[in-house]
Amino acid sequence: MKQSQLFTKTRKEVPSDEVSKNAQLLIRAGFVHKEMAGVYSLLPLGLRVVNKINAIIREEMNAIGGQEVHMSALQDPDMWKKTDRWEGDAKDIWFKTQLGNGGELGLGFTHEEPITNLMKNHISSYKDLPKSVYQIQTKYRNEVRAKSGVLRGREFLMKDLYSFCKTQEEQDAFYAQAQQAYTNVFARVGLGERTYMTFASGGMFSKYSHEFQTLCDSGEDTIYVHEQKGIAVNKEVLTDEVLNDLGIVRDDLIEKPAVEVGNIFSLGTRFSDALGLSYLDASGVQKSVVMGSYGIGPTRTMGVIAEVYGDDKGLVWPKSVAPFDVHVIVLESKEGADVHAYAEKITTDIEQAGYEVLYDDRPLTAGAKFADADLIGIPMRLVISEKHMHNNTVEMKGRTEADARVVNASEICSLLV
Ligand code: ATP
Ligand code: MG
């Protein structure tokens, strides 16, 4: 893509009310647009990053048998009243609205109720189980504190997967597969080294649930990390009993700030009982379906990556989620030589080898282009000047490398791998 065609502009200033590092960088680099507190629109570069994160999540969810759907955000209160989540504790999080004809509806903050209701049409026998269904869909939450940029949106993307099993044993086996799939997702998006699967409070049907927490200075959560064993525990479950269970002692744990990027939860039959999702087992006995739910926040994940890798010059994307693989920057010739034709040829060659290229063909100074490239944070940069054109070379440099190297044009593709 030619950068001269990209409608978004980088900017030096951020909205004065924006205090979070992730949103400051993402706004300045033109990845997101701030509509209001806690509400961000994705611009082309940001959408590319989110799409890459989503593609990785899809592959891992499909690999454990997840089937993708896309459900409505509009929610029927009757369903939520049956599980006691329309009023009470959950009500602060709802965005609710009146219908023109006098009814009421909600904007979904999660989807256990509608998916359970939906599955009643498709599950009736033990032969229909196990199944798992997921979506990557927009959620709405009336978050009180929305000062963490895209880490805590009032509207945000969630991948939510729900599992439907015959027995708790079958559910436990699926849960273990989901744990591995989540570990894979966070490794693949570049957060593996700083993301822990933490022990969290389990709710009604299992002793623990698990959260995936990424170490991050600005994180709102606090986790306790056992570095040697690679185990971590959430603050709310840090008790003697839990430490005993895990065979660790408090003195070996280090307190660290973190952001929850995902979580997995055994739900037992809470939702299937309340909404009537049951099946007939092999001997004709009616039983409740055993469920689990599994969330990941793709937009929060983008924000965490911006937060933990961004430096004083701008964003720094891991290869796997970068908006483009390569940033080609052509420097104008002072003598009027056509360096563009040479740079375009190189761009086409790299694209034909399967790489995505942002080609900076804008008539700006080298300094302005480099500053933008630093801000946008594409992991590999090729700078092309008139001198390079004459020598049939380019200058190659990683986003955070101090030194550049000059390589022959014919070598580029083999060096990009
Ligand atoms: P938190 O404790 O941070 O509020 P949560 O426990 O409410 O998170 P879940 O309801 O489990 O989160 O949602 C599943 C996933 O969705 C989370 O792990 C997170 O990645 C993402 N998520 C939750 N709330 C938000 C939000 N307001 N903005 C962006 N992503 C979110
Ligand atoms: Mg929350």
Side-chain angles (χ1 to χ4, degrees):
M1 174 174 209
K2 285 187 170 166
Q3 208 166 337
S4 61
Q5 301 301 306
L6 187 65
F7 77 81
T8 57
K9 303 256 191 311
T10 58
R11 47 196 269 197
K12 290 202 170 61
E13 304 302 325
V14 280
S16 53
D17 62 338
E18 189 56 75
V19 292
S20 74
K21 173 182 173 183
N22 69 84
Q24 287 181 350
L25 288 177
L26 291 166
I27 290 169
R28 283 186 51 214
F31 283 60
V32 305
H33 170 73
K34 182 173 190 169
E35 303 288 348
M36 60 187 110
V39 184
Y40 299 87
S41 295
L42 293 172
L43 300 174
L45 294 173
L47 183 59
R48 277 177 163 268
V49 172
V50 168
N51 282 341
K52 295 211 169 158
I53 294 171
N54 288 347
I56 290 170
I57 294 174
R58 273 196 183 93
E59 276 183 29
E60 295 295 337
M61 296 304 112
N62 293 345
I64 57 171
Q67 298 180 41
E68 187 170 359
V69 297
H70 191 94
M71 298 177 73
S72 175
L74 303 184
Q75 300 294 312
D76 176 357
D78 288 343
M79 236 176 328
W80 298 80
K81 285 174 185 162
K82 289 184 183 155
T83 58
D84 223 12
R85 292 213 291 178
W86 183 250
E87 302 290 351
D89 282 354
K91 86 170 184 294
D92 291 342
I93 242 181
W94 276 112
F95 282 111
K96 295 178 179 176
T97 187
Q98 301 296 320
L99 288 170
N101 63 9
E104 199 181 15
L105 58 73
L107 297 181
F109 68 94
T110 181
H111 275 73
E112 281 83 5
E113 281 80 352
I115 189 73
T116 306
N117 190 52
L118 183 160
M119 293 308 273
K120 283 162 68 178
N121 294 306
H122 305 283
I123 293 173
S124 56
S125 148
Y126 69 96
K127 292 177 193 157
D128 302 323
L129 297 168
K131 288 284 181 296
S132 61
V133 180
Y134 75 96
Q135 60 179 344
I136 298 175
Q137 189 259 6
T138 305
K139 301 284 188 264
Y140 298 88
R141 292 188 182 182
N142 202 344
E143 302 277 6
V144 185
R145 203 177 158 273
K147 292 207 171 297
S148 301
V150 300
L151 299 185
R152 187 170 296 287
R154 295 197 163 108
E155 176 182 333
F156 60 96
L157 279 183
M158 195 196 287
K159 183 287 298 174
D160 41 333
L161 181 143
Y162 305 92
S163 62
F164 303 89
C165 293
K166 295 187 279 294
T167 59
Q168 188 59 45
E169 236 170 30
E170 195 172 65
Q171 160 63 25
D172 290 345
F174 184 82
Y175 191 90
Q177 285 188 296
Q179 282 183 331
Q180 186 56 52
Y182 270 48
T183 304
N184 297 348
V185 166
F186 295 115
R188 290 181 63 188
V189 300
L191 292 173
E193 276 165 29
R194 46 171 63 239
T195 301
Y196 286 87
M197 185 173 78
T198 65
F199 291 80
S201 54
M204 275 174 270
F205 294 93
S206 57
K207 193 157 186 187
Y208 303 111
S209 68
H210 292 90
E211 290 182 355
F212 287 76
Q213 293 269 2
T214 305
L215 300 181
C216 176
D217 290 342
S218 59
E220 292 178 22
D221 292 354
T222 302
I223 64 170
Y224 294 82
V225 179
H226 193 296
E227 285 183 332
Q228 288 84 37
K229 293 200 173 179
I231 298 179
V233 180
N234 277 18
K235 196 171 190 171
E236 79 270 10
V237 298
L238 189 71
T239 61
D240 288 341
E241 188 198 339
V242 171
L243 293 176
N244 252 339
D245 276 4
L246 302 177
I248 51 179
V249 294
R250 174 68 186 86
D251 282 352
D252 290 342
L253 299 177
I254 306 170
E255 183 182 294
K256 298 195 172 183
V259 176
E260 178 198 314
V261 284
N263 69 10
I264 57 179
F265 226 94
S266 270
L267 300 172
T269 58
R270 165 158 169 29
F271 293 92
S272 45
D273 285 341
L275 292 154
L277 175 62
S278 61
Y279 70 99
L280 292 180
D281 75 5
S283 47
V285 177
Q286 189 160 1
K287 296 203 165 137
S288 295
V289 172
V290 178
M291 290 173 54
S293 82
Y294 312 79
I296 295 182
T299 37
R300 180 179 284 187
T301 299
M302 172 173 74
V304 173
I305 295 170
E307 196 82 30
V308 300
Y309 294 122
D311 61 18
D312 55 345
K313 294 182 183 143
L315 295 158
V316 177
W317 298 106
K319 264 188 184 178
S320 58
V321 300
F324 290 90
D325 302 310
V326 184
H327 204 162
V328 171
I329 298 167
V330 61
L331 303 183
E332 303 293 330
S333 153
K334 292 194 182 69
E335 280 78 44
D338 192 7
V339 192
H340 285 253
Y342 174 68
E344 249 170 73
K345 164 84 171 65
I346 285 177
T347 298
T348 310
D349 287 351
I350 311 172
E351 283 175 344
Q352 277 171 0
Y355 296 98
E356 292 172 338
V357 182
L358 182 63
Y359 169 42
D360 193 350
D361 58 333
R362 300 171 302 165
L364 299 180
T365 64
K369 289 186 176 194
F370 293 154
D372 276 356
D374 282 338
L375 189 53
I376 291 169
I378 294 167
M380 182 54 70
R381 187 176 310 173
L382 301 181
V383 179
I384 301 175
S385 68
E386 185 178 355
K387 192 170 118 218
H388 296 126
M389 178 179 76
H390 292 313
N391 297 336
N392 204 33
T393 57
V394 303
E395 187 185 282
M396 200 174 211
K397 188 168 173 290
R399 165 64 177 77
T400 53
E401 276 165 34
D403 299 316
R405 53 189 172 151
V406 174
V407 304
N408 200 284
S410 62
E411 296 177 281
I412 299 170
C413 287
S414 63
L415 293 170
L416 286 177
V417 191

